[in-house]
Structure formats: C-alpha cells, structure tokens
Amino acid sequence: QVQLVESGGGLVQAGGSLRLSCAASGRTFSEHTISWFRQAPGKEREFVAASSWIIDNTYYADSVKGRFTISRDNAKNTAYLQMNTLKPEDTAVYYCAAGRSCPRFCDYWGQGTQVTVSS
C-alpha cells in the first residue's frame, strides 16, 4: 500500500516557477512508476510526466516538454515536479500517482494540489 501527499502548489505569475512534491508512505516506493497528472476546470485529467521504476527514464507530455522536470528521491520516498516558464494554461489541480503500470494504470493517487498561473 502506498499513500501519496502532494504539496507545493500555489499562485504564480506567468513565466514563474514552482516545485511540487509528492511524499509517499510505504516501503515499495522505489518499485512504482511515479506520474504527475493535472486537471483543469471543465477539462479531463491529462498526463503530465512520469518517472519509470524499471529503468531510469522519464516521459513528458508535449505541452510541458522542456519546461517541466520530474525527479524522484527513493531514499526520501519523494517525487518532484519542477515547473518552469509557467503559462496560464498550466493552471490546474496537479495529482501524483503511483503504480507498476502507471501512467497507463495507476494504483495510488494523491489528493491533488492547486496550481494557478496568472497572466
């Protein structure tokens, strides 16, 4: 069982940066792919980024490639999403998720953290 808690959201001006954290409980954090998703008002949830547990590899949605960086510290059971050059269209609730088949199928989800980018 893995429990996830996101933090680090907030209000930022366009062009600014935020770093989201996803703290996980459970001893098997290192055996799960960690993914970030987001959901804007009136829109479906969308994939943002993933950090694979099988190989040291990361994946990004085209909309955030080059601006966002996902990382993880297995010793601290924490994953991060560094978000730079933020745009108003990045405004959403951001969720971290975990699972061996994530992001295709994620077993565990956090409660979400709000990110608001003002123009």
Side-chain angles (χ1 to χ4, degrees), residues 7-8 46 50 63 87 90 112 117:
S7 62
E46 65 174 354
S63 59
K87 304 175 182 180
D90 294 319
V117 184

Side-chain angles (χ1 to χ4, degrees), residues 73-86:
D73 185 337
N74 289 334
K76 295 183 177 179
N77 275 12
T78 303
Y80 306 96
L81 185 68
Q82 178 66 44
M83 306 186 295
N84 298 329
T85 320
L86 283 161

Side-chain angles (χ1 to χ4, degrees), residues 20-34:
L20 305 183
S21 298
C22 175
S25 63
R27 295 176 294 176
T28 59
F29 177 80
S30 62
E31 299 177 4
H32 291 79
T33 292
I34 303 298

Side-chain angles (χ1 to χ4, degrees), residues 43-79:
K43 294 187 177 181
E44 293 188 353
R45 185 172 59 198
E46 65 174 354
F47 168 76
V48 174
S51 172
S52 172
W53 73 280
I54 298 177
I55 57 176
D56 187 15
N57 214 346
T58 56
Y59 308 90
Y60 298 93
D62 288 343
S63 59
V64 306
K65 203 170 291 183
R67 300 189 297 122
F68 290 11
T69 303
I70 187 172
S71 61
R72 61 193 296 168
D73 185 337
N74 289 334
K76 295 183 177 179
N77 275 12
T78 303

Side-chain angles (χ1 to χ4, degrees), residues 11-17 84-90 116-119:
L11 174 64
V12 64
Q13 288 188 333
S17 298
N84 298 329
T85 320
L86 283 161
K87 304 175 182 180
E89 51 263 44
D90 294 319
T116 302
V117 184
S118 63
S119 57

